Amino acid sequence: MAGQTLYDKIWDAHLVDASAGGMALIYIDVHLTHEVTTPQAFEGLRQAGRSVRRPDLTLAVADHAIPTTDRNAPVEDAQAALQLETLAANTAEFGIEYYDGHDIRQGIVHVVGPEQGLTQPGMTIVCGDSHTSTHGAFGALAHGIGTSEVEHVLATQTLIARKAKNMRVTVNGALAPGITPKDMALAIIGKIGTAGGTGHVIEYSGAAVRALSMEGRMTLCNMTIEAGARAGLIAPDEITFAYLKGRPRAPKGAAWEAARAYWRGLASDDAAVFDRQIVMDAADIPPLVTWGTSPEDVAPITGAVPDPAQERDPDKARAMRRSLDYMDLQPGAKMTDIKIDRVFIGSCTNSRIEDLRAAAAIVKGHKVASHVGAMVVPGSGLIKAQAEEEGLDKIFLDAGFEWREAGCSMCLGMNPDRLAPGERCASTSNRNFEGRQGKGGRTHLMSPAMAAAAAIKGAFADVRECKLG
Amino acid sequence: MKKFTTLTGIAAPLPMVNVDTDKIIPAQFLKSIGREGLGEALFFDMRYLPDGSENPDFVLNKPAYRQAKILIAGDNFGCGSSREHAPWALADFGISCVIAPDFADIFYNNCFKNGILPIKIDKETWEKLLDDAVRGANAMITVDLEAQEIRGPDGGVATFDVDPFRKECLLNGWDDIDLTLQKSAAIDAFEKKRVTAWPWAAPVDG
């Protein structure tokens, strides 16, 4: 028998029915929900007189539209307030646990799942949010779904799915000092493009991936959707188990031992066959910053804005010109000469404690440039509390950053945290699409340390040249 | 779900690559708790000028394409967020078929749940269809799902592939939750197995 990949194993273990031609019915272990992509799904259930099959396998968290300002103040945006009230009412009606804005466990759903130990190896996890790929860091098959599928999972605890192809991205060697998992993710997307993983599940492997912490692995898997693959995976190992052990929803005692034995068997077999393979060397990855309006538009911080005249593909050249026009950048401009107006440190990509520590290490003892508005939005209430215990909040506040409550915030600008037209932002989020952080806003993606360095310098800066403290 | 059988209409050309779901419908329109009325917000930032007036240069604002039912779109259409508001906005505007060389996976999937047929087509046929689309109302296109054919204005016929299950669902307007609920016995059996095989995985709370 041919070897199986990690993806093959999880798929097979969750197969409920494979009779519908190329489509299969797979069982879902954890369904994460939030206020934005569920109201229509719950309404659909009500209209059809259906119930939620497994409320006990479902968790709701307020994250997308919730303001990151004082949680005791009323939500001023009437539509956002209605969405939050609707989620509270729906979860109460259907018996689903809900972390609202007053719960310290509230945060970005993809930060909360792992933090609570809900996200475990070998599971299938879905959520009406494309960055569900984050959970793949644990060796769980996790991907985003649409609202109709949210309704389907609520009603049946299954998903109609077509099996994707297997792709492996191997990053050998070790990341150089100052280079982060975010740089690794951007380097991969820059190499394979935003459609490079379409139709595939990407398994990340290689020494540089194995060396990543769980938080680093989450950053890498989170960005998988920006490479076109719905799900990313990393085989669970001792680092995974150490992270999970003792978390509120992780198995305990004998169950822990049984689970760990099962998890150890999930790694791809040596003889497993991948439909597509990419191999990279971590030592070649510099600190990266995006220059355009697609996450594949990456440039090294030591480089310059590329010239569409050098692009041979006419479609790509046209897209580049449009991007540069939108971003108000000239070909050949040095990346370190690009001045910024705003800094956003947060999002499901980079809002965890290690991200905040890395940014604080750069910020400590410095001030945010006078023309820059900067904010830090922790990924969850628990991360915020931990950062405050470590004194990170003080470092940020002393430097002139805003220190906010947990949520998706300016990653997608659904709440009041938005760029004004024309504003340029150094952002630790995942998408630099036109208008993503506010109509006319210009987003440059980078690591937390690089965003912190940009806040201090007022322009993009090479974090390797920043003196710590 | 609305059925999709045969569609004849004007095809609007939007050959831009990597049209993401934020472009299809920006986040400020995701605060609705319903699915209706999102057509007004379709392609909002490209379709309207900063003062709120229509951008006369955007394809769907041109007189020839205001009634478009088909979109000839560029590579990797629908990349980015999983928001189903993107197909809802297309459907509400009146577009129920998108033809592109390739689609992002989640958007592609979401289309089928909303009576929209996304067609992946080879680059050569796509270029021909794009040429037809540029001719506006002089070039009506017919998409026949049963026959898996696109018939052009000059008698040209192109065939396309579609998953047989999804095709049946669209042709019949089937609700896939109903279909799955017919398999409740298999789900029950799986859940029994799950409790024994992976006891630590259920339930979530505890």
Side-chain angles (χ1 to χ4, degrees), chain A residues 222-409:
Chain A
N222 171 278
M223 294 288 286
T224 305
I225 184 65
E226 311 315 330
R230 289 175 80 174
L233 283 169
I234 296 172
D237 60 12
E238 294 307 319
I239 293 173
T240 321
F241 309 146
Y243 177 97
L244 261 173
K245 193 165 190 186
R247 295 204 174 253
R249 308 301 181 92
K252 313 226 164 17
W256 169 261
E257 294 306 325
R260 201 168 48 166
Y262 177 76
W263 296 339
R264 283 196 168 119
L266 289 169
S268 290
D269 299 332
D270 291 340
V273 178
F274 289 86
D275 301 286
R276 200 170 161 215
Q277 300 231 48
I278 303 285
V279 180
M280 296 171 68
D281 192 332
D284 296 338
I285 301 173
L288 292 166
V289 175
T290 62
W291 53 264
T293 56
S294 167
E296 70 188 33
D297 299 338
V298 298
I301 184 64
T302 51
V305 175
D307 187 350
Q310 308 288 323
E311 174 59 56
R312 270 181 270 171
D313 180 335
D315 284 348
K316 276 194 183 153
R318 200 178 316 123
M320 280 174 83
R321 280 192 198 95
R322 184 187 161 93
S323 286
L324 292 181
D325 184 45
Y326 180 86
M327 296 297 287
D328 192 27
L329 291 174
Q330 296 301 318
K334 278 178 67 183
M335 294 305 287
T336 46
D337 285 344
I338 299 172
K339 284 202 165 66
I340 56 159
D341 307 298
R342 303 281 292 270
V343 171
F344 171 61
I345 296 176
S347 86
C348 55
T349 314
N350 282 126
S351 62
R352 298 176 181 85
I353 192 70
E354 289 175 11
D355 298 319
L356 304 191
R357 286 178 190 144
I362 299 294
V363 167
K364 193 174 183 184
H366 297 283
K367 294 280 181 204
V368 171
S370 59
H371 65 280
V372 172
M375 66 195 290
V376 181
V377 183
S380 73
L382 286 165
I383 290 170
K384 179 169 187 268
Q386 187 177 348
E388 287 172 355
E389 207 177 288
E390 295 179 18
L392 304 184
D393 59 324
K394 196 161 181 314
I395 293 173
F396 288 120
L397 287 166
D398 286 351
F401 277 85
E402 290 185 65
W403 178 247
R404 295 293 191 92
E405 300 294 330
C408 300
S409 179

Side-chain angles (χ1 to χ4, degrees), chain A residues 407-431:
Chain A
C408 300
S409 179
M410 208 203 278
C411 173
L412 83 166
M414 272 201 73
N415 72 0
D417 310 338
R418 269 193 285 271
L419 296 180
E423 278 190 324
R424 189 179 300 286
C425 181
S427 180
T428 67
S429 56
N430 39 58
R431 290 187 176 135

Side-chain angles (χ1 to χ4, degrees), chain B residues 65-147:
Chain B
Y65 299 107
R66 300 184 81 93
Q67 305 299 321
K69 293 180 181 173
I70 300 163
L71 197 63
I72 312 294
D75 237 329
N76 201 26
F77 188 79
C79 61
S81 143
S82 64
R83 60 188 68 165
E84 201 162 313
H85 307 67
W88 294 340
L90 283 167
D92 191 55
F93 180 90
I95 289 172
S96 47
C97 177
V98 185
I99 304 175
D102 204 4
F103 293 87
D105 290 336
I106 302 179
F107 173 82
Y108 182 78
N109 220 23
N110 284 342
C111 283
F112 285 102
K113 313 285 182 186
N114 291 283
I116 297 177
L117 175 64
I119 300 179
K120 289 184 201 177
I121 203 101
D122 64 274
K123 207 69 188 240
E124 203 182 319
T125 310
W126 180 79
E127 275 165 9
K128 172 78 180 69
L129 290 168
L130 195 62
D131 284 345
D132 288 341
V134 170
R135 289 151 60 196
N138 297 322
M140 302 284 262
I141 287 175
T142 295
V143 176
D144 183 338
L145 177 57
E146 177 71 55

